[in-house]
Amino acid sequence: MTDLKKMDELREQLNQYAYEYYVLDKPTVEDTEYDKLYRQLEELEEAHPELPIPDNSPTKRVGGIVLEGFEKATHDIPLYSLADVFNKEEIEKFDERVRKLVDGEVEYLCELKIDGLSISLKYENGIFVRGATRGDGTVGENITENLRTVKSIPMIIKEPISIEVRGEAYMPKASFAKLNEERDQEGQEVFANPRNAAAGSLRQLDTSVTAKRNLSTFIYTLADFGPLQADSQEHALEHFQDLGFKVNHEYRLCKNVEEIWAYISELAEKREQLPYEIDGVVIKVNSFELQEELGFTVKAPRWAAAYKFPPEEVETVVQSISWTVGRTGVVTPTANMTPVVVAGSTVRRATLHNADYLQEKDVRINDTVILYKAGDIIPAVLRVVMDKRPADSQPYELPTNCPECDSELVHLDEEVALRCINPKCPAQMKEALNHFVSRDAMNIDSLGPKILEQLFDKGFVKDVADLYKLTIEDFLQLDKVKEKSASKFYQAIQASKGNSLERLLFGLGIRHVGSKASKILAEHFENMDNLRQAGLEEISGLETIGATIATSLVQYFQNHEVLELIQELKNAQVNLTYLGAKASDIEAINSVFQGKTIVLTGTLEHYKRNDAKAKIESLGGKITGSVSKKTDIVIAGAEAGSKLDKAQSLGVEVWSEADMIAAFGE
């Protein structure tokens, strides 16, 4: 037998043993036998340096690559978040909404909500090519090399299909305990909880560190179920394991709310005995056909909900109360407390929300309070333990002046919040800069808060228009900024000048004007001058805008400093015009896509999925994720699977990518 053939056999054998051990939890050989075969493979690979080591070799799991940083990874199909429910009554309301929207019986598949890091894994012709974090659901980080070290992730799946699966990477409790013990012995800071440890491990620039952390995964869904022959979530989980993925088998099919609640109650008792952390239960409509019928809201699927276990509550003592100033001038109180562990992490500070909340709860210095984590994330004060209040306790006096600029604080329009109305307040100006460069605004994402703070403190910028006056030499005067970074910052700012008007509108931070309202306003008024000159009645007459936003806009544009700011932006050649397609233009387009419901499936050769989707939508079409009787056209690329089959069985019109391009007029 040749060495090449022997290496292939060893890789296949070792991968099978790893699958049985890490995915099925059913090892078929002793560790010593696995180690012996592994060493044989290592020796053969070292003896033949002229032969490239394939990605499916177990020896590639040890890492060793040192990364310079993480690139962005755009998700062709977004990773939606789920609507939260916190009690049985809210689950009943979720069930009622589902049953009102669909005909016939509804079954739910209930799965454990693993407390880890959401990941997306992409395979081409069965080979693992990219792994990414969830990020904001649209753009995450490319952590492919680190995910290659996770032994439960197959490098080659058992069918040569192109798919993108989603799941959760987590650190088992035993691995977490071992890691923290090692870090403690080495004098390093220990991780607060397994979730933080998993996230930190997957974002290591040295992949060999990730490899040592013994992470695992559970796969629970596909970005696009086209290549998979499954008609329900339950069947999909079965297929995932057949392909070589690790799935969680603690799921249960439930027919009603009573069965769902029984499952949740059972898991709440069983939670501590599980070898991994969970923070709730995910409830999904089982049928894919019904999922398609229910569809999505802007933020979440209508066919799923996430039940969150009640937060842990602990006692601690308030040592002081500090106040911070936000972008809009709202001054927010924070309790500084005796450190205490809540839901796995040490907490020293907790939000008190606003001045009215602080007074309503009557929180005072030296009070013993009940602390919890809202959504298991944000520490908050629930109530005061009155029996433990000191005898000499005095009511807490609210501040009368801004902690940053000393201007008088006011209550506006009967708001619950205290507000600093000084437009030159340094804290507000720093927050305004951070908002202006954020992803949904001008998207100058290379400019982080620390760089912006330096720019402000050193006097290089006093408002957002000053960003466009910066030079590379200005950046080089900042701490720890070299030529490469300075050029990167400068180029990112210059690129942002070409953004469409709605991004600028949102970035200006006008009160009550969010990203959706900015898009509506920019599309209707077309440019900044038209919007600036519009009256209250004209603005409030727009659909979904209303009097509150209109009043805020009119007042904003009456400010002399605002008009100067806009003129400075214009002088800097920042675009002040809407560049997107208008709804009225789309309606007027004589296009075969106009008013049609369209499904994209398979791999497109000439278009990225997102680009094709954007083009079709600009021509008046509506893109959906799965095929039904309501589908007008299915556009099938290479390796189109079950969606193509379903389209043919329903008699839905099927196009090739060439047909689509021809319809674009290209």
Side-chain angles (χ1 to χ4, degrees):
M1 182 185 297
T2 65
D3 284 353
L4 181 59
K5 187 174 181 182
K6 179 63 176 175
M7 283 189 282
D8 286 341
E9 285 190 0
L10 284 169
R11 288 168 187 145
E12 184 177 350
Q13 193 174 7
L14 288 166
N15 282 332
Q16 179 61 28
Y17 290 156
Y19 172 71
E20 293 163 351
Y21 185 93
Y22 293 104
V23 177
L24 302 182
D25 293 321
K26 294 178 181 178
T28 57
V29 294
E30 296 294 330
D31 289 350
T32 52
E33 174 66 14
Y34 180 92
D35 293 341
K36 183 179 75 173
L37 296 174
Y38 186 90
R39 282 194 297 273
Q40 286 181 27
L41 177 60
E42 274 188 318
E43 290 168 1
L44 285 170
E45 289 180 344
E46 288 173 5
H48 293 280
E50 76 281 2
L51 298 175
I53 300 174
D55 287 336
N56 71 326
S57 178
T59 59
K60 280 212 167 181
R61 299 281 195 180
V62 298
I65 298 173
V66 178
L67 308 171
E68 291 186 4
F70 296 107
E71 297 177 350
K72 289 181 179 179
T74 300
H75 302 296
D76 292 337
I77 298 175
L79 281 80
Y80 284 88
S81 57
L82 299 181
D84 290 334
V85 290
F86 295 96
N87 51 52
K88 188 177 180 182
E89 290 72 26
E90 291 184 2
I91 296 174
E92 287 172 343
K93 290 178 182 177
F94 163 71
D95 177 58
E96 288 172 8
R97 289 195 297 271
V98 167
R99 295 182 188 276
K100 283 180 181 177
L101 293 170
V102 300
D103 296 324
E105 291 299 313
V106 178
E107 288 184 323
Y108 297 99
L109 196 75
C110 296
E111 304 170 57
L112 301 188
K113 189 173 182 297
I114 308 300
D115 198 10
L117 181 75
S118 294
I119 56 171
S120 179
L121 311 176
K122 185 177 284 189
Y123 291 78
E124 292 181 0
N125 300 316
I127 300 171
F128 177 59
V129 294
R130 193 193 79 174
T133 62
R134 179 185 184 279
D136 65 0
T138 302
V139 179
E141 289 180 314
N142 186 327
I143 55 169
T144 304
E145 295 305 324
N146 282 339
L147 288 171
R148 288 187 190 280
T149 71
V150 180
K151 296 182 177 68
S152 61
I153 297 176
M155 294 297 100
I156 298 178
I157 55 178
K158 297 187 177 182
E159 291 181 27
I161 56 176
S162 298
I163 60 172
E164 184 179 343
V165 298
R166 273 87 187 262
E168 201 82 2
Y170 67 95
M171 182 173 285
K173 290 178 180 177
S175 302
F176 175 69
K178 181 181 177 183
L179 174 62
N180 266 356
E181 183 180 350
E182 291 171 352
R183 292 177 70 85
D184 188 45
Q185 290 174 353
E186 294 169 2
Q188 294 179 295
E189 185 178 355
V190 297
F191 284 104
N193 52 55
R195 175 178 51 192
N196 290 1
S201 299
L202 284 173
R203 298 194 76 257
Q204 291 290 323
L205 295 179
D206 183 349
T207 59
S208 63
V209 175
T210 308
K212 295 174 184 176
R213 296 284 174 85
N214 195 28
L215 301 175
S216 192
T217 58
F218 286 123
I219 299 302
Y220 53 74
T221 193
L222 269 173
D224 179 353
F225 280 90
L228 207 66
Q229 299 294 328
D231 59 5
S232 69
Q233 175 66 12
E234 185 178 27
H235 292 156
L237 292 176
E238 294 169 359
H239 278 287
F240 290 151
Q241 182 160 308
D242 293 340
L243 288 172
F245 296 109
K246 185 175 183 180
V247 300
N248 190 294
H249 293 283
E250 294 283 349
Y251 59 82
R252 182 176 298 173
L253 194 63
C254 299
K255 295 181 179 178
N256 52 50
V257 173
E258 292 303 321
E259 291 186 6
I260 293 172
W261 192 248
Y263 174 79
I264 289 171
S265 302
E266 180 183 317
L267 262 298
E269 294 182 7
K270 189 178 178 180
R271 181 181 181 184
E272 295 304 318
Q273 283 70 54
L274 293 171
Y276 42 80
E277 293 283 356
I278 63 172
D279 59 358
V281 168
V282 175
I283 307 160
K284 300 176 184 174
V285 171
N286 191 39
S287 164
F288 287 159
E289 186 174 350
L290 292 184
Q291 286 185 12
E292 170 66 18
E293 190 175 338
L294 288 160
F296 295 79
T297 66
V298 174
K299 295 182 179 179
R302 291 190 179 92
W303 43 264
Y307 170 81
K308 303 294 288 290
F309 288 128
E312 177 186 356
E313 298 178 1
V314 298
E315 285 189 5
T316 186
V317 176
V318 176
Q319 298 174 329
S320 64
I321 295 173
S322 56
W323 295 77
T324 54
V325 186
R327 173 175 59 85
T328 61
V330 171
V331 184
T332 305
T334 299
N336 305 299
M337 306 160 303
T338 304
V340 63
V341 176
V342 188
S345 62
T346 301
V347 173
R348 295 176 174 82
R349 293 161 58 85
T351 180
L352 290 166
H353 300 292
N354 53 61
D356 283 14
Y357 183 90
L358 190 156
Q359 291 191 311
E360 177 190 329
K361 298 293 182 181
D362 190 22
V363 178
R364 306 179 183 183
I365 308 299
N366 296 323
D367 267 349
T368 297
V369 295
I370 300 296
L371 195 68
Y372 75 105
K373 279 190 177 180
D376 282 340
I377 298 173
I378 303 170
V381 172
L382 181 62
R383 64 179 180 276
V384 175
V385 182
M386 302 304 291
D387 293 345
K388 296 185 178 182
R389 170 167 282 173
D392 59 351
S393 174
Q394 296 293 320
Y396 181 79
E397 292 188 13
L398 296 180
T400 57
N401 294 81
C402 174
E404 289 286 337
C405 68
D406 204 38
S407 297
E408 186 178 354
L409 298 176
V410 298
H411 269 113
L412 286 181
D413 304 328
E414 300 180 354
E415 289 181 331
V416 296
L418 279 174
R419 191 182 291 270
C420 171
I421 57 174
N422 174 17
K424 298 291 187 180
C425 175
Q428 291 182 61
M429 296 174 79
K430 288 178 183 178
E431 288 298 321
L433 288 167
N434 280 313
H435 175 73
F436 186 80
V437 305
S438 64
R439 180 176 288 124
D440 289 337
M442 295 300 276
N443 195 26
I444 316 175
D445 58 355
S446 59
L447 286 184
K450 291 182 179 179
I451 294 295
L452 290 171
E453 186 169 9
Q454 282 196 70
L455 288 168
F456 185 87
D457 290 343
K458 289 178 182 290
F460 289 116
V461 297
K462 63 181 185 298
D463 58 34
V464 298
D466 287 341
L467 291 170
Y468 296 99
K469 301 173 185 175
L470 293 170
T471 65
I472 291 177
E473 288 69 29
D474 292 333
F475 284 112
L476 289 173
Q477 295 183 53
L478 305 183
D479 296 338
K480 299 180 180 179
V481 173
K482 305 298 183 186
E483 186 78 33
K484 184 177 179 181
S485 295
S487 177
K488 179 182 176 183
F489 297 150
Y490 177 78
Q491 294 300 332
I493 291 172
Q494 297 307 304
S496 74
K497 290 181 179 180
N499 286 336
S500 186
L501 174 61
E502 68 272 16
R503 284 187 171 274
L504 176 61
L505 267 182
F506 179 58
L508 290 173
I510 305 168
R511 196 168 167 218
H512 301 305
V513 181
S515 58
K516 185 176 180 181
S518 296
K519 176 73 183 297
I520 294 168
L521 291 162
E523 182 179 333
H524 179 81
F525 290 102
E526 299 184 339
N527 61 58
M528 184 70 82
D529 286 340
N530 291 342
L531 176 59
R532 181 175 57 82
Q533 295 165 12
L536 187 64
E537 188 174 335
E538 184 180 3
I539 298 173
S540 61
L542 291 178
E543 186 177 356
T544 75
I545 293 300
T548 300
I549 294 175
T551 301
S552 179
L553 275 164
V554 170
Q555 290 177 345
Y556 179 79
F557 286 119
Q558 287 174 347
N559 189 317
H560 179 69
E561 290 179 335
V562 167
L563 300 181
E564 287 184 349
L565 175 68
I566 292 171
Q567 185 59 49
E568 286 186 62
L569 291 168
K570 186 182 293 186
N571 294 342
Q573 297 184 318
V574 175
N575 175 62
L576 305 179
T577 303
Y578 177 64
L579 303 177
K582 298 186 70 174
S584 57
D585 294 337
I586 291 174
E587 290 171 6
I589 290 172
N590 182 18
S591 164
V592 293
F593 297 108
Q594 179 63 45
K596 298 290 179 64
T597 299
I598 296 158
V599 172
L600 292 165
T601 185
T603 303
L604 300 179
E605 182 181 350
H606 300 286
Y607 269 84
K608 290 183 179 180
R609 180 75 66 93
N610 270 358
D611 293 340
K613 177 183 175 183
K615 182 75 172 178
I616 291 168
E617 288 177 340
S618 73
L619 294 170
K622 175 188 175 185
I623 299 292
T624 59
S626 59
V627 180
S628 69
K629 294 177 182 178
K630 298 177 182 179
T631 305
D632 295 303
I633 302 169
V634 169
I635 298 171
E639 298 182 25
S642 60
K643 289 185 182 179
L644 176 58
D645 295 337
K646 189 169 184 180
Q648 291 169 338
S649 68
L650 292 174
V652 174
E653 186 175 356
V654 177
W655 287 12
S656 66
E657 183 179 4
D659 295 329
M660 176 187 75
I661 293 172
F664 289 164
E666 299 176 1

